[in-house]
Amino acid sequence: MGGVSHTSLSPLPSSDRADITARLRNALLGASFTADGLLDLLGAPAYAALARSETVPALRATRGDTPLETLVRLFLLQQPVPYARVADVLPVEDALECGWLIRTGGDEVAASVDIRPYGGPGGEDWFIVSDLGCAVGGAGGIGSREEGVVLGVGGASTTLAGITVRTPVGSALDLGTGSGIQALHVAQHATRVTATDLNPRALHITALTLALSGAPAADLRQGSLFEPVRADETYDLIVSNPPFVISPGARLTYRDGGMGGDDLCRTLVQEAGDRLNEEGYAQFLANWQHVEGEDWQDRLRSWVPRGCDAWIVQREVQDVTQYAELWLRDSGDHRADPADYQARYDAWLDEFEARKVKAVGFGWITLRRTAAAEPSITVEEWPHSVEQPLGDAVREHFERVDYLRRHDDAGLLAGHFRLVAEVVQEQVGLPGAEDPEHVVLRQHRGMRRATKVDTVGAGFAGVCDGTLSAGRILDAIAQLVGEDPVLLRDRTPAQIRLLVEQGFLEPVE
């Protein structure tokens, strides 16, 4: 998310001295300034408190003078530290020359940016750079209301990173790169990475994040949405954690899209289709309006561009008062003058009232470019817990869409299936009853779905190990329960299709 550089924000370190950045990285790693090192030093409670923007526990845990404690106070807690202590850990003169550190008077130095250790999915030791006091959001607000401020890694960032499909690709686009966390992830499996942002400060910080993490440089471009992308450029993967907040105006560019209502998210989704290569994925976080008299699922279906399959998951819904309060806290307005707070709150409610918005949904949108004559669009609500990372589950969802599209009922009955790992069966009924009222199959991985099945469906799923065709299994069940096998074959494919679609059964081809 991005905006315009603001003169009162701190000057940023130089991104041109790769030698000094490499020396700084080696020094940080040498002092165990890593995600694991922080957890060992601070302990779980203080480490978790940092993610809530609470620093007191970490301050108490870093009262010593070890190299790691020095770095935590300097870069995470933004405390001035004596020059001599820093010189024992870092190439301090080089860091001062390049702007990573600044002199604060006397014999102390301070950080010019927040540097936060971040563990990559393969155990990589990465560092996320952001503006001072803006490493995360949280109930206390970000600590700065400058419009060009660049935030670090929050819950939305890690959610998007977790749901992204991680297959090797030739080209990837991180649209609205912010501090560069998505670009850092995709650099591990994309040959060419382009990262864009409206805010030139964000592009500078992304360059720092990539360099300090030892990742390849990205092609950095300034501009809004797809403006920096040439008309003939297409990608295998597009990811975006855009400024999706539905707000009255665009006061904070890292979060406020500057378009009316949910138009920014709609525009982003609609324009992505033409930017994807065949079989390419576009994955976004988004907010959408629940408008009086309109089905929210129909609203989102209308966003999906032609030639794309889509899987849209609504994770949360807030009424307009909850939504306004969330983002007023995010920007620290709850700590401002009460009259200003009330005026801003009123402005949010006026905006929603004018648009007949009764609630706002939050969730994930995944598109996949397809040549299929009839694209598949799935829009669902799933507020329950899931198991991240979900990138493989997203990819498998679309693979199942392809399979079901290729197979009619006769094809399903001829197919072989296997019950996926870690699915359990629950029987629900009155105590002492001879037969259950219904049977539930429940996943313990991925989306952690649960679905009701009848006794035939439960029996069918239970014996699916890939050896027998679905039709042969149904014939055996028909003989066991004394049912006409032809009738059973006629009525069961819909249930098989549902179990495949929801990921309980996987085709064995």
Side-chain angles (χ1 to χ4, degrees):
M1 303 182 180
V4 212
S5 185
H6 205 284
T7 53
S8 61
L9 289 170
S10 302
L12 293 173
S14 169
S15 58
D16 298 331
R17 292 294 303 273
D19 56 332
I20 292 178
T21 304
R23 288 185 63 197
L24 180 59
R25 172 177 169 78
N26 290 336
L28 296 176
L29 294 176
S32 297
F33 188 64
T34 63
D36 289 341
L38 285 185
L39 185 58
D40 290 342
L41 171 68
L42 302 178
Y47 188 73
L50 273 180
R52 301 191 301 270
S53 301
E54 296 291 349
T55 58
V56 172
L59 285 167
R60 292 173 61 85
T62 56
R63 289 178 288 195
D65 58 1
T66 66
L68 182 54
E69 287 170 297
T70 297
L71 294 177
V72 170
R73 286 196 155 243
L74 189 64
F75 290 117
L76 267 65
L77 304 178
Q78 278 105 53
Q79 301 293 308
V81 178
Y83 179 103
R85 278 183 60 184
V86 178
D88 288 339
V89 189
L90 300 178
V92 65
E93 284 300 324
D94 286 343
L96 284 166
E97 176 191 338
C98 276
W100 291 99
L101 301 177
I102 56 174
R103 295 186 183 273
T104 59
D107 64 346
E108 292 184 323
V109 296
S112 63
V113 289
D114 185 294
I115 299 176
R116 195 146 303 230
Y118 180 89
E124 302 92 347
D125 289 315
W126 293 340
F127 299 99
I128 309 301
V129 180
S130 63
D131 274 312
L132 296 173
C134 300
V136 292
I142 61 169
S144 171
R145 291 184 226 169
E146 300 290 353
E147 64 180 47
V149 74
V150 179
L151 269 61
V153 177
S157 302
T158 54
T159 294
L160 179 59
I163 68 172
T164 300
V165 176
R166 297 294 175 197
T167 52
V169 295
S171 57
L173 171 65
D174 175 15
L175 194 150
T177 187
S179 60
I181 177 61
Q182 309 305 329
L184 184 54
H185 273 281
V186 299
Q188 310 309 303
H189 61 103
T191 304
R192 176 173 59 87
V193 179
T194 302
T196 71
D197 206 290
L198 182 63
N199 183 1
R201 188 175 182 87
L203 297 176
H204 191 131
I205 284 181
T206 290
L208 298 175
T209 290
L210 294 173
L212 196 59
S213 298
D219 178 4
L220 303 175
R221 304 183 193 178
Q222 185 185 351
S224 176
L225 298 180
F226 289 102
E227 285 176 5
V229 180
R230 295 193 307 271
D232 61 343
E233 286 183 298
T234 54
Y235 298 88
D236 301 311
L237 175 65
I238 299 171
V239 293
S240 183
N241 175 19
F244 53 67
V245 177
I246 300 170
S247 60
R251 185 164 59 111
L252 296 172
T253 319
Y254 73 87
R255 69 172 202 191
D256 301 327
M259 295 186 186
D262 52 17
D263 283 355
L264 181 132
C265 290
R266 176 184 56 78
T267 301
L268 179 60
V269 172
Q270 289 180 335
E271 293 184 356
D274 290 336
R275 301 297 184 174
L276 284 175
N277 293 327
E278 193 67 26
E279 301 295 317
Y281 287 93
Q283 299 188 258
F284 314 110
L285 301 185
N287 277 181
W288 44 78
Q289 298 172 149
H290 285 230
V291 179
E292 196 175 315
E294 180 181 338
D295 185 292
W296 68 270
Q297 293 183 325
D298 289 343
R299 181 183 190 84
L300 290 174
R301 285 189 187 94
S302 74
W303 290 9
V304 178
R306 284 185 177 184
C308 287
D309 293 324
W311 184 21
I312 301 173
V313 182
Q314 179 167 275
R315 295 287 291 154
E316 184 180 0
V317 181
Q318 291 186 324
D319 68 46
V320 292
T321 60
Q322 292 173 309
Y323 189 81
E325 290 162 16
L326 169 68
W327 295 109
L328 287 167
R329 286 195 303 271
D330 170 83
S331 54
D333 287 304
H334 61 306
R335 295 193 299 265
D337 178 84
D340 289 343
Y341 176 80
Q342 182 176 339
R344 292 194 187 281
Y345 201 149
D346 266 333
W348 284 77
L349 297 185
D350 286 344
E351 178 82 2
F352 287 133
E353 186 176 324
R355 294 180 176 275
K356 297 183 178 180
V357 176
K358 57 184 180 180
V360 177
F362 169 83
W364 322 323
I365 297 177
T366 300
L367 306 177
R368 186 190 59 164
R369 191 78 189 173
T370 179
E374 294 186 19
S376 164
I377 300 177
T378 301
V379 183
E380 63 176 320
E381 185 163 18
W382 190 254
H384 312 293
S385 64
V386 298
E387 182 189 52
Q388 286 275 32
L390 277 168
D392 285 345
V394 172
R395 175 181 50 78
E396 289 162 1
H397 166 88
F398 288 97
E399 289 174 351
R400 294 193 299 270
V401 164
D402 286 340
Y403 177 87
L404 292 173
R405 206 155 33 200
R406 292 194 307 268
H407 292 79
D408 58 12
D409 287 356
L412 284 183
L413 292 174
H416 293 239
F417 301 94
R418 183 188 300 118
L419 188 67
V420 301
E422 297 188 40
V423 171
V424 298
Q425 174 180 306
E426 301 171 357
Q427 295 187 350
V428 181
L430 293 173
E434 186 175 340
D435 296 313
E437 291 179 18
H438 59 263
V439 177
V440 174
L441 298 181
R442 188 178 301 277
Q443 300 169 354
H444 283 274
R445 299 177 62 184
M447 292 292 287
R448 295 178 175 167
R449 295 188 186 278
T451 190
K452 285 184 186 180
V453 291
D454 60 20
T455 52
V456 170
F460 176 86
V463 297
C464 277
D465 61 4
T467 56
L468 295 176
S469 70
R472 292 276 304 277
I473 293 173
L474 289 178
D475 290 344
I477 291 175
Q479 186 174 7
L480 188 66
V481 300
E483 188 168 340
D484 185 332
V486 175
L487 294 178
L488 193 61
R489 278 174 171 256
D490 282 346
R491 70 176 175 86
T492 308
Q495 196 165 187
I496 297 174
R497 193 171 292 275
L498 178 67
L499 291 174
V500 173
E501 181 183 319
Q502 295 193 346
F504 290 92
L505 295 177
E506 58 185 5
V508 179
E509 296 190 88

